Amino acid sequence: MSTARLGRWTAALGIALAVAGCVPAEPAPPPELGTEFTLAVGDTAVLEAGRVTVLLSDVTDDGRCPEGAMCVWEGDAVVHIETTVAGRQSAHELHANPQFPTEAHTDGYRIALRSIQPPGSAGEIPLAEYRVNLLVTRE
């Protein structure tokens, strides 16, 4: 094989491998009722074949005790979600601290906040780093 021809094959193989590496992974299957799932801020979960959607719109007021620190109070963070059930929209605040509402009830469904990652921090956590675990069940 000539050097020029080998060079063309090498270039073609490199392009093919680069394109193959850019193919997105299979999308995650939609969450099911009764199964905990994770959302980042701005993500939406679609459940029950589109009957229920949950959008994580924001995480605010994060004053949780930093991991490894000794705190008098565990603190709190507020998770803002928007739900749509059978076309009816509503907004809810869920709290990390169980002294406040950790779940919302809407149109026969319960949406429960299970956890927020990362754990509390002494510094500000960038919004893009938050991951919120939620659980949706029928009432």
Side-chain angles (χ1 to χ4, degrees):
M1 186 178 286
S2 72
T3 305
R5 194 170 187 188
L6 180 60
R8 284 193 300 268
W9 277 104
T10 304
L13 179 60
I15 291 169
L17 290 173
V19 169
C22 293
V23 174
E26 290 278 327
E32 296 180 16
L33 287 181
T35 302
E36 196 170 303
F37 59 92
T38 304
L39 293 177
V41 175
D43 285 351
T44 300
V46 179
L47 299 99
E48 298 244 278
R51 178 173 166 73
V52 178
T53 62
V54 180
L55 164 68
L56 175 59
S57 57
D58 206 357
V59 178
T60 62
D61 303 322
D62 191 351
R64 295 173 293 156
C65 182
E67 189 173 48
M70 295 289 291
C71 298
V72 176
W73 189 61
E74 66 186 270
D76 190 26
V78 181
V79 171
H80 300 267
I81 61 169
E82 297 174 20
T83 61
T84 304
V85 178
R88 291 182 36 166
Q89 295 180 341
S90 56
H92 308 276
E93 287 186 357
L94 307 177
H95 293 260
N97 189 314
Q99 293 179 354
F100 304 104
T102 59
E103 57 187 47
H105 301 268
T106 182
D107 295 309
Y109 292 90
R110 178 179 71 96
I111 300 102
L113 174 62
R114 305 300 283 197
S115 65
I116 302 174
Q117 293 297 323
S121 172
E124 187 171 330
I125 298 170
L127 200 54
E129 290 185 18
Y130 282 105
R131 297 297 179 269
V132 174
N133 289 349
L134 298 167
L135 177 68
V136 178
T137 56
R138 288 187 194 208
E139 294 189 296

